Amino acid sequence: MKLKIMRPALASVLAGFLVAAVPVAAMAKDRGSLAGQAGNKRYPLQFQQTEGPCQKAYKEYVAAPGHSAYAQTHLGAVEAFYCGASINGPSQAAAEKQALERCNSVGKKYKLKTTGNCAVYASK
């Protein structure tokens, strides 16, 4: 008699564990992707309600699934601010280095005087 009662109870408990375990397993599977994460923010972003290449670069950085970095100059350091991003690098340090190089090279590309004051604002 006791065995007949225990089987349905045990089955419902196991079914409950299965229902609870499926979302946890799905979350663990997505943990490898960095897409949609802002990562380690070092400074607050300074777009000042503008649309442009820096805001686009930051959005691409956030959407990237791999190690990425976003660098820009501080506002006030120069009249216009520059930025650079590195998407899906081999490591976080490599992405930061490449983002800084891209940010500092903007002045050369547009033949502007820059002081090379770019800093990594966010990386993951």
Side-chain angles (χ1 to χ4, degrees):
M1 180 87 173
K2 236 180 184 182
L3 189 59
K4 288 182 182 180
I5 295 172
M6 292 298 287
R7 280 188 183 167
L10 184 60
S12 67
V13 168
L14 290 176
F17 282 135
L18 181 63
V19 169
V22 169
V24 172
M27 285 178 17
K29 180 181 176 186
D30 291 338
R31 207 172 275 171
S33 175
L34 299 171
Q37 297 179 16
N40 178 17
K41 287 186 177 180
R42 298 178 185 174
Y43 303 102
L45 296 176
Q46 302 174 6
F47 296 127
Q48 294 190 345
Q49 314 296 330
T50 61
E51 292 287 328
C54 289
Q55 196 166 26
K56 181 183 174 198
Y58 181 74
K59 287 179 182 179
E60 289 173 356
Y61 154 76
V62 171
H67 293 291
S68 303
Y70 173 79
Q72 78 175 44
T73 56
H74 297 293
L75 287 181
V78 290
E79 287 131 20
F81 70 95
Y82 313 117
C83 62
S86 175
I87 309 297
N88 299 326
S91 68
Q92 185 175 357
E96 289 176 3
K97 182 180 177 186
Q98 189 173 29
L100 282 172
E101 288 172 359
R102 288 181 180 173
C103 181
N104 288 324
S105 71
V106 170
K108 292 175 188 171
K109 180 178 179 182
Y110 294 106
K111 298 180 183 172
L112 302 169
K113 291 183 180 179
T114 63
T115 57
N117 289 333
C118 290
V120 175
Y121 270 56
S123 67
K124 57 182 176 179

